[in-house]
Amino acid sequence: MIRDLILLPGVPRRLLDDIGEMKELTRELLHTEHELTRTSQSMDSKMDKLDHANERLDRALDELRGFNEKLGRLDARLRNVERELSVVRAGMEEVAQALPEIGKGPLEKAKDALAGS
């Protein structure tokens, strides 16, 4: 229809200029649409990569939580072992104090007590 108008001999110059401008604006609009489509595709790709990175981070956090729980249990075990070692150490000290007395009769013990050893 526009081509038919352009071919008419009496079409005013201003109308032809407007038609030319509309064609140019349509080309620019089409170019802008293509640019926006490429940008959108690029953003979609970047969002997919971010989603993948977030999933990996979530898995890593889950693993760290598991390690933290294991470390908590290990820490509790170490506290129990430390308490048991403290009891054993106290028992060993009692044994060490009693050892010099083994094999000594009452007279030797009395001599040591008087001598201060």
Side-chain angles (χ1 to χ4, degrees):
M1 179 170 116
I2 293 177
R3 288 189 181 147
D4 293 337
L5 283 175
I6 293 174
L7 296 175
L8 290 175
V11 175
R13 182 74 191 153
R14 182 170 178 197
L15 181 59
L16 292 175
D17 290 343
D18 288 346
I19 291 171
E21 187 178 349
M22 285 174 48
K23 285 170 55 177
E24 183 61 31
L25 288 172
T26 303
R27 283 188 199 108
E28 289 177 15
L29 184 61
L30 185 60
H31 176 73
T32 302
E33 179 189 15
H34 289 303
E35 287 292 319
L36 286 173
T37 300
R38 279 196 296 270
T39 301
S40 178
Q41 290 169 343
S42 173
M43 292 301 289
D44 287 346
S45 172
K46 289 175 183 174
M47 289 302 294
D48 288 343
K49 289 176 183 176
L50 281 174
D51 288 342
H52 181 67
N54 281 336
E55 289 171 5
R56 290 179 61 197
L57 285 172
D58 283 341
R59 285 193 304 267
L61 282 174
D62 287 342
E63 287 181 29
L64 287 174
R65 283 186 198 106
F67 289 144
N68 195 30
E69 290 172 9
K70 290 177 183 178
L71 286 174
R73 289 192 302 264
L74 182 61
D75 191 41
R77 287 183 198 164
L78 283 174
R79 283 193 300 269
N80 288 337
V81 167
E82 286 173 349
R83 281 193 293 271
E84 290 174 10
L85 282 175
S86 161
V87 170
V88 168
R89 192 175 299 122
M92 294 285 290
E93 289 172 359
E94 287 179 26
V95 169
Q97 288 174 355
L99 279 179
E101 304 295 318
I102 293 178
K104 290 185 178 181
L107 287 176
E108 290 175 323
K109 289 180 185 178
K111 282 186 206 177
D112 288 341
L114 290 174
S117 57

